[in-house]
Each structure stands twice: as structure tokens, then as C-alpha cells.
Amino acid sequence: QERDDHCRRGNEERKQRYPSEQEHRRERSGDRDRHRDHSDRRKNPSERPGVRGHERERDVQNIREQQAEREFYNERRREHRQNNEGSGVDQNPELGQSDGKPKEKAAVKKEKPSFELSGALLEDTNTFRGVVIKYSEPPEARIPKKRWRLYPFKNDEFLPVMYIHRQSAYLLGRHRRIADIPIDHPSCSKQHAVFQYRLVEYTRADGTVGRRVRPYIIDLGSGNGTFLNNQRIEPQRYYELKEKDVLKFGFSSREYVLLHESSDKSEANTKDDDDDDEKEEESDS
């Protein structure tokens, strides 16, 4: 009987002990789950409700601020460029500023007419044999029908004749790789001058307007200059050449006399020349 009572008490104590242990285990597992959720939230704060929306708003605001700042600095650059150029207000109507002061500056500082583009703007397109050409032919460039020639003289020595009627332009300079007419004197520039044929208008005796191809010379900003009939010409400007004009380049003693195939004939009859010019006009048109 005592043995049975002892077994019964043990079973009762065991039943009372097990529920408490199961509850304790449940509590511990619940605490562990809560701790895990808390740590996950700390590691991933973007998963919290409302965080993503605030971050998007903050990004949009930052982008707007950057765009406003960029526009402000662009406006400052435009104003600075406009002040430097002087006449930039007429060319940039987007600025929307008053035209008074820039116009006064443009009136004070009158720029000389420039007929050609600088070499920096033509670096990608106007290259020949790997060298950037400073000169670009104008749209009125034409190949002449009249056979012009250059007769070079060195002191009293007669040099070979140069035939210059096969192209619309001839580059003169010390750079033999690109020069059509090389000039070896050390006082001459690598790209010194250009002999250019242009189609220009003229008025006939009866008052009508015609067109003809005439030779021109232009200096490319050389250091020692180009001389036409012993007078130095301005750089970057076309000068019309006439028969028997004399050209000199730098300090070279060579003189180049411009003539054509009919120069040895009498010059009184100019009607033939006008007829040739009219033929050139018809062929160009």
C-alpha cells in the first residue's frame, strides 16, 4: 500500500511539474521570437512602414536642389560669357537681359571683319595629311578658266614658271607636307598665305551686273607678313590681284609676278576678257 501511495504521489508531482515546464518553454520560445524580430528590424530599417516614402521624398528633393543649382551656375556662365564677348546679348536672346550696356561695348570695340574660320574650329574636319589647315575655302571658290601663272624672280635670276589655274586655291608656306607652293625662307610661316580664286559680281559698261572669277591673296596671320606691290597687307583679309602684280612673302628676296597666258598681247582689247568671264559665269551657274 505504501508503495502504491508513493507511486501515486510521484505521478501527481510529475503531472504538476510538466505543465510548468511546458509553459516555461513556450515563454522562452516567444521571447526568442520577439528578440529575433527586433534584431531584424534594426538591421533592415527600410522595412519599417513609412521609411521608403520618406526616402523617396528626400531623393526627389535632392534632385530638385541639384537641378536648381545647375541652372543657377549655367546662368552665371552665360552672363560671364556675354560680358566677355561684348556683343553676346544680340546672339543669345535666351538671357532676357537689357541690351543697353553690351551694345555700348560693341560700339566702342569694333571688331575687324574676319572672312575665315580659325583653325581651332576646323580641327576635326579640315585636316590634310595629319596636319590641321588654318584656312577653309569660301563658298564662292571656283576653278578659273583663264590660265594664270606666277613668274618667280630671285634678284635678276629667272626661276621656273608656276601654273596656278588647275585648282581653286593654293596654299603657300614653309610646311612642304601640305603646301601647294612651298616657300623655304626661314622668315616665312608654315602656313603663310593662300592664293584663292573667287566668283564675284561686277558691273558692265551698260549697267548690267555680271559675275567673273578673279584671283585673290589672303595672309593667314603670318609673323613677317605678305607684301603686295611692296605694301604689307592685313592678315585674314582678301585682296584682289590684277595682272602684273608683285607678291613677296616675309623677308624673302623672291618676287612673284602674276601674269596669264595672254599677257604678252595688247591689253587694249578688254572685250575678250569680258567674254571669257561670261563663259565662266555660264559654266559655274
Side-chain angles (χ1 to χ4, degrees):
Q1 187 176 0
E2 289 178 359
R3 191 183 301 123
D4 296 338
D5 293 338
H6 183 70
C7 292
R8 193 181 303 113
R9 283 196 215 101
N11 293 330
E12 291 177 358
E13 291 176 359
R14 195 178 295 111
K15 289 180 181 179
Q16 292 176 0
R17 191 184 305 155
Y18 284 154
S20 61
E21 291 179 357
Q22 292 177 357
E23 291 177 0
H24 182 66
R25 289 175 182 174
R26 291 174 184 172
E27 291 177 358
R28 289 183 63 184
S29 62
D31 294 338
R32 194 179 296 111
D33 294 338
R34 283 194 297 272
H35 180 70
R36 189 182 297 110
D37 295 338
H38 182 68
S39 61
D40 293 340
R41 289 178 182 177
R42 290 184 62 182
K43 291 180 181 178
N44 299 323
S46 61
E47 295 181 358
R48 298 177 186 175
V51 173
R52 292 183 178 178
H54 290 299
E55 289 184 353
R56 290 177 182 173
E57 292 178 0
R58 194 182 304 119
D59 294 339
V60 172
Q61 187 176 1
N62 291 335
I63 292 172
R64 290 177 181 174
E65 292 178 356
Q66 291 176 0
Q67 290 179 351
E69 187 176 359
R70 193 180 299 111
E71 291 177 357
F72 173 75
Y73 282 113
N74 289 337
E75 191 72 20
R76 290 283 298 275
R77 290 194 198 97
R78 291 193 194 120
E79 293 177 0
H80 184 67
R81 194 181 304 114
Q82 171 191 356
N83 294 332
N84 289 338
E85 292 178 355
S87 60
V89 175
D90 297 336
Q91 299 175 358
N92 298 327
E94 298 177 358
L95 299 179
Q97 297 180 355
S98 61
D99 299 341
K101 294 182 179 179
K103 284 186 178 179
E104 293 178 359
K105 291 182 180 178
V108 174
K109 298 180 181 179
K110 291 184 178 180
E111 296 182 357
K112 296 181 179 180
S114 178
F115 299 97
E116 296 303 322
L117 297 175
S118 63
L121 298 177
L122 302 174
E123 288 184 357
D124 296 335
T125 58
N126 198 15
T127 57
F128 180 68
R129 294 182 180 176
V131 181
V132 179
I133 308 299
K134 295 181 181 179
Y135 178 78
S136 178
E137 290 193 63
E140 67 272 13
R142 298 290 188 277
I143 298 177
K145 300 295 182 182
K146 188 180 294 184
R147 296 184 178 181
W148 292 93
R149 301 169 184 174
L150 281 178
Y151 291 82
F153 294 89
K154 185 177 182 181
N155 298 328
D156 295 334
E157 181 183 358
F158 178 73
L159 300 177
V161 181
M162 298 179 180
Y163 298 92
I164 53 172
H165 63 275
R166 299 181 179 91
Q167 299 176 191
S168 59
Y170 289 84
L171 177 63
L172 299 94
R174 196 162 39 86
H175 203 311
R176 281 185 166 269
R177 190 174 183 181
I178 58 175
D180 299 307
I181 301 176
I183 306 174
D184 296 331
H185 200 272
S187 64
C188 297
S189 302
K190 293 182 178 180
Q191 301 181 38
H192 196 98
V194 171
F195 192 88
Q196 178 70 62
Y197 293 102
R198 302 170 63 199
L199 182 65
V200 294
E201 295 182 351
Y202 73 102
T203 304
R204 299 188 182 94
D206 55 357
T208 59
V209 178
R211 294 189 303 173
R212 60 187 175 184
V213 178
R214 300 296 299 171
Y216 287 82
I217 189 72
I218 180 172
D219 185 85
L220 300 181
S222 59
N224 297 315
T226 301
F227 296 86
L228 174 59
N229 298 327
N230 294 324
Q231 292 185 355
R232 184 167 180 171
I233 63 176
E234 297 181 6
Q236 305 295 338
R237 180 180 173 184
Y238 286 112
Y239 285 83
E240 184 177 356
L241 298 178
K242 299 179 181 179
E243 187 182 0
K244 298 182 181 180
D245 280 347
V246 181
L247 294 171
K248 291 184 66 176
F249 304 98
F251 301 138
S252 176
S253 60
R254 295 191 180 188
E255 297 181 349
Y256 298 85
V257 181
L258 180 65
L259 298 172
H260 53 79
E261 57 184 353
S262 58
S263 295
D264 54 345
K265 299 179 181 178
S266 62
E267 301 175 7
N269 189 7
T270 59
K271 185 177 180 181
D272 296 338
D273 295 340
D274 293 339
D275 294 339
D276 294 339
D277 295 332
E278 290 178 0
K279 290 179 181 179
E280 291 179 3
E281 177 184 353
E282 292 176 359
S283 61
D284 292 329
S285 60

